Amino acid sequence: MPFHLTFSQHERIVGHARAEFPLECCGLIGGEHETARAVYPARNADQSRSHYTIEPSDMLRATRDIEDVNNWEVLAFYHSHPMSDAFPSPTDVREAVRSGYSEHSRFIIVSLVNPEDPKMRCFWLRGGVIYEEPLVISDETET
């Protein structure tokens, strides 16, 4: 099934990637079913061009809002690849599996290889196997 973002959510993620360039940005997406309801930008604790760790206080704030306040799920984690394609690196896969989130959440990657034409793709990384999921960007989410 495709994963759904609104145009404004897409632009918020791309804007975050551009603002953090040349470092990787990162964040969470909360929602229900296959539909994003909110984007939660986070700080990259690693301050790195090639990997990320979501700042623990940002992770706590976002997951509390997603799960406790809104009764949604963490549907996806996102991060940018400032200088490479929107495809999971071996580090992305290893860290997703190690975290345990790969079994329950998607991973969205934004490439800024061409900053004027960013590319966004969505993946499942269950068991370390890369599977691309269609990403639908639309005017608004259905309620």
Side-chain angles (χ1 to χ4, degrees):
M1 295 187 79
F3 185 62
H4 297 266
L5 289 172
T6 64
F7 284 116
S8 63
Q9 291 164 341
H10 176 272
E11 287 307 305
R12 187 164 189 205
I13 294 167
V14 169
H16 186 199
R18 286 179 171 146
E20 294 298 320
F21 186 87
L23 304 178
E24 286 197 3
C25 79
C26 55
L28 294 82
I29 299 172
E32 49 197 354
H33 310 294
E34 310 302 319
T35 303
R37 297 294 181 205
V39 171
Y40 297 83
R43 292 170 289 170
N44 181 351
D46 297 340
Q47 291 291 293
S48 171
R49 296 171 184 232
S50 60
H51 54 86
Y52 73 97
T53 300
I54 295 175
E55 181 67 41
S57 62
D58 294 346
M59 181 75 163
L60 181 60
R61 173 190 49 78
T63 54
R64 279 184 176 163
D65 192 69
I66 293 167
E67 296 171 351
D68 299 337
V69 174
N70 291 297
N71 200 32
W72 297 335
E73 296 178 64
V74 175
L75 294 181
F77 292 88
Y78 73 85
H79 73 281
S80 61
H81 282 182
M83 305 299 221
S84 60
D85 291 332
F87 191 83
S89 69
T91 300
D92 292 336
V93 175
R94 182 180 64 249
E95 293 301 314
V97 170
R98 190 175 67 98
S99 73
Y101 289 112
S102 64
E103 298 305 308
H104 310 286
S105 299
R106 297 157 184 83
F107 291 81
I108 293 177
I109 301 173
V110 179
S111 171
L112 293 179
V113 167
N114 178 352
E116 299 307 314
D117 186 25
K119 302 296 182 202
M120 183 182 290
R121 296 170 71 190
C122 181
F123 301 92
W124 284 98
L125 304 176
R126 289 183 177 137
V129 176
I130 300 169
Y131 169 77
E132 187 165 7
E133 181 175 53
L135 185 60
V136 175
I137 314 297
S138 61
D139 286 335
E140 59 184 73
T141 57
E142 295 177 11
T143 56

